[in-house]
Amino acid sequence: MDDVLDRKRALCLLQIMETGSVRGAADVLAVDPSMVSRTVARLEQDTGLVLLERRGRGVVVTDAGRMLALFARRQQDLHDTFVAEVNSLKNAQSGHLDLVLGEGTLDMVMGPVLQDFVKAHGDVRYHVKVAGTEEAVQCILEDRAHIGIVFQPPADARLRSHHARLAPVRVHVRKGHPLASHSGPLTLADLAPYPGAALEESFGVRKHIQAAELEENVRLQPMLTTNSFKVLWDFAVMGLGYIMTPRSIPLQGVALDTLVSLPLASPVLNHSQLHVVTRSGRPLSPVASQLLRHMVGVFSAA
């Protein structure tokens, strides 16, 4: 049936049903009545159905004709809806955005980037997933997220970096900790005698620190490992030991008043970066492209 049902011809039949006559349909369609009659006759030939019943000088749509006309109306409604949605996307007025962010990047995204964008794009729906580097990269590569902010992503040709921001790793300890009075940048060997907390190995920060350990031939043994930045900060605030996070994660609240941030000597840890990434070759919708440009603009100006 799909092969023989011409949508334009079916819409002609719909006009006959809605206006009540061939002439009425012809007036709406701005064509000659004879063309309407020929169109319906061709449609009857294509479908093998009787669509119009002649009664005197007029016509009545048969049950089969009514069913076909209603089908044509549903098709037209779907077509109109699709066109409206496409036009809306072209104008970047609506859509759905999936973002994947490291927990430590939330403060640099929610307020500085998303606040104004969300206000300006009220018809857009958002999903923000918090994940470590490994999971975030998988979300991007599997098209489960349009845009990601990832700490030290792997060198993968399938990833495209749109912006890189220096995010050197710093040590954080409570004021009064022996390391707080250390003069000059710390080596990892300086940290080794003290208890520390670290993120799980699925996080880019932990992998990067492990790379620095290999370079300095030092093996740090965290007292506590976690997948939560909050647990990490609480560990340091309570004076239980040191933690290491990128400088891009600012001290706030109790941590700001309680902790001190100390530089490291490691070239590896001093040149770490946060990247704004998408899947290479993935075409982004207009609204996703607009958010990407906005995000890169904000980060570039910071």
Side-chain angles (χ1 to χ4, degrees), residues 95-112:
H96 183 88
L97 286 175
D98 291 293
L99 307 178
V100 60
L101 312 172
E103 184 182 353
T105 67
L106 292 177
D107 288 337
M108 60 184 287
V109 175
M110 295 305 295

Side-chain angles (χ1 to χ4, degrees), residues 151-185:
F151 181 85
Q152 286 296 123
D156 190 321
R158 296 172 296 172
L159 288 176
R160 178 184 176 187
S161 176
H162 299 265
H163 176 77
R165 177 175 179 172
L166 194 65
V169 175
R170 293 291 184 260
V171 175
H172 308 286
V173 294
R174 187 181 175 94
K175 295 174 182 177
H177 189 284
L179 289 172
S181 58
H182 188 278
S183 60

Side-chain angles (χ1 to χ4, degrees), residues 83-152:
V83 170
E85 290 177 350
V86 167
N87 288 336
S88 182
L89 284 173
K90 286 181 178 179
N91 295 327
Q93 295 173 346
S94 66
H96 183 88
L97 286 175
D98 291 293
L99 307 178
V100 60
L101 312 172
E103 184 182 353
T105 67
L106 292 177
D107 288 337
M108 60 184 287
V109 175
M110 295 305 295
V113 175
L114 284 184
Q115 185 175 9
D116 290 341
F117 192 86
V118 169
K119 288 180 179 179
H121 299 81
D123 292 333
V124 178
R125 297 294 175 262
Y126 305 84
H127 178 252
V128 177
K129 182 177 181 61
V130 178
T133 297
E134 285 187 359
E135 186 179 3
V137 168
Q138 285 304 116
C139 286
I140 294 294
L141 295 181
E142 296 171 4
D143 288 348
R144 288 184 282 133
H146 297 97
I147 303 168
I149 299 182
V150 184
F151 181 85
Q152 286 296 123

